[in-house]
Amino acid sequence: MTETLPATGKTRRIRLADGTGPVLAVLAVLLVALAFAGPAYSEPAGYLALLKRAAPLMILAIGQYFVIVSGGFDLSVGSLVTAEVVIAARLIDGDEGATVWVIPLLLATGALVGLVNGLITTRLLVPSFIVTLGMLLVLDGAVFLWTGGSPRGALSEAFRVVGREGFEVPLLGAVPWSVLLLAALVVAAVVFMRGGTGRTLVAIGDNETSVLLGGGRVERLRTLAFVLSGVSAAIAAILLGGFAGVSAQVGDGLEFRVITAVVLGGVVLGGGRGSVVAAMAGALTLEALFSLLNLLGVAGGLESAVQGVIIIAAVAYASVGRIPFRTRRST
């Protein structure tokens, strides 16, 4: 696909960002397969329901993308989601009026956890894998001590509106509010990544030394990536709380699922390459794949195996791509 430049008459080729094309092709195949596998997908409502289920994972993928593309990891998002839902239920406890101040508090808590992860990683030079793994354990332990394994309180109806309800659109039917929120975040993420800060984040993952020599604020930007990841986890928690209710296991495994989604979207572990749109498409593809497996009657335990295969294959592919040709030939 090309477009003509008005001043020069020359053409400029418009192409998708690296990794976006393959994951979109896989997603298209899965969406078509779903139409044949389940009658629910014969109408737009079925795909809107898929987007509604995938929205929390896609929002998590946005935050995880910022961290991974800048050269880090955030393993704490699953535990943070659980902690946010438990905190919300305990503080609201069915009080509709409390929703107004609890939601900003959840967003601030997510930002604070991300800030702690970022500062320890950048200022104390502790690997992000270790820092966020430690935060995962801290949050898990705190939730267990606070709830005794059984969450208390209840979420208000106002809190659950965004994750559970929607609005009517002609021809499409009921469009979930979570899909509208997802669309707004997609636009915001794309605009952010096209700006100077977003491009610098990618450059940090590719060559941190060059960014430092160019005067880039590497520590601040990496910390910002963790803060954005924490906020995305808080938003995902609000949607999951509204959709699934209160549970001490609501975020279990989300950290691995979102990393799988991001690498499925072609984002290179170690940073420096990848598209935020492809990362979100990877999350939707993963959700579509699991929905298809469920319709086909495949055991749910296969999900972990599929995630493991995707991560290993993605890392192996990226590693092979970085090995010089002569080295590969000699081995």
Side-chain angles (χ1 to χ4, degrees):
M1 181 178 179
T2 60
E3 66 176 358
T4 302
L5 299 178
T8 62
K10 296 182 180 179
T11 60
R12 180 178 63 191
R13 185 174 297 275
I14 301 175
R15 64 183 184 87
L16 296 171
D18 292 342
T20 308
V23 72
L24 290 180
V26 174
L27 176 59
V29 171
L30 288 173
L31 294 179
V32 172
L34 283 171
F36 286 98
Y41 294 95
S42 60
E43 298 180 358
Y47 292 102
L48 287 174
L50 174 65
L51 273 175
K52 181 179 180 179
R53 294 194 304 272
L57 185 64
M58 294 176 73
I59 291 170
L60 279 175
I62 295 174
Q64 191 71 228
Y65 166 81
F66 293 143
V67 176
I68 290 180
V69 83
S70 62
F73 276 101
D74 190 352
L75 296 178
S76 67
V77 291
S79 296
L80 180 55
V81 166
T82 299
E84 296 271 31
V85 173
V86 170
I87 290 171
R90 188 71 175 271
L91 295 178
I92 293 175
D93 199 18
D95 181 7
E96 296 291 337
T99 306
V100 177
W101 60 269
V102 168
I103 288 180
L105 177 63
L106 296 180
L107 296 175
T109 301
L112 177 61
V113 171
L115 179 63
V116 172
N117 286 336
L119 290 177
I120 295 176
T121 299
T122 58
R123 299 298 175 87
L124 301 183
L125 302 181
V126 181
S128 60
F129 181 90
I130 301 299
V131 174
T132 56
L133 178 60
M135 183 62 74
L136 179 155
L137 297 174
V138 168
L139 291 172
D140 277 349
V143 168
F144 183 80
L145 287 174
W146 196 23
T147 65
S150 178
R152 304 171 188 175
L155 298 172
S156 63
E157 289 300 316
F159 185 93
R160 302 192 67 178
V161 164
V162 178
R164 186 168 56 175
E165 299 182 10
F167 59 98
E168 291 293 326
V169 174
L171 301 179
L172 292 179
V175 176
W177 288 111
S178 57
V179 174
L180 187 63
L181 175 61
L182 173 65
L185 292 176
V186 168
V187 172
V190 170
V191 171
F192 176 78
M193 290 309 299
R194 288 184 175 180
T197 303
R199 291 196 297 267
T200 305
L201 271 180
V202 178
I204 289 172
D206 184 44
N207 193 326
E208 177 182 343
T209 303
S210 296
V211 176
L212 282 171
L213 293 175
R217 300 177 180 270
V218 173
E219 291 184 356
R220 289 189 181 183
L221 291 179
R222 275 192 167 151
T223 301
L224 174 63
F226 281 102
V227 170
L228 293 175
S229 180
V231 172
S232 73
I235 297 173
I238 293 170
L239 296 184
L240 284 170
F243 180 73
V246 183
S247 170
Q249 291 80 38
V250 66
D252 284 2
L254 277 178
E255 60 276 356
F256 300 113
R257 180 172 290 201
V258 72
I259 290 175
T260 305
V262 171
V263 299
L264 180 60
V267 181
V268 176
L269 295 178
R273 193 177 72 194
S275 159
V276 66
V277 173
M280 290 181 286
L284 182 57
T285 300
L286 196 63
E287 190 65 40
L289 174 61
F290 291 153
S291 296
L292 179 61
L293 293 176
N294 183 56
L295 287 172
L296 296 177
V298 178
L302 187 62
E303 291 185 5
S304 296
V306 170
Q307 293 180 69
V309 169
I310 291 173
I311 291 176
I312 292 172
V315 174
Y317 176 78
S319 299
V320 169
R322 292 182 175 184
I323 298 175
F325 175 74
R326 289 183 179 178
T327 303
R328 292 203 303 268
R329 186 175 60 179
S330 64
T331 56

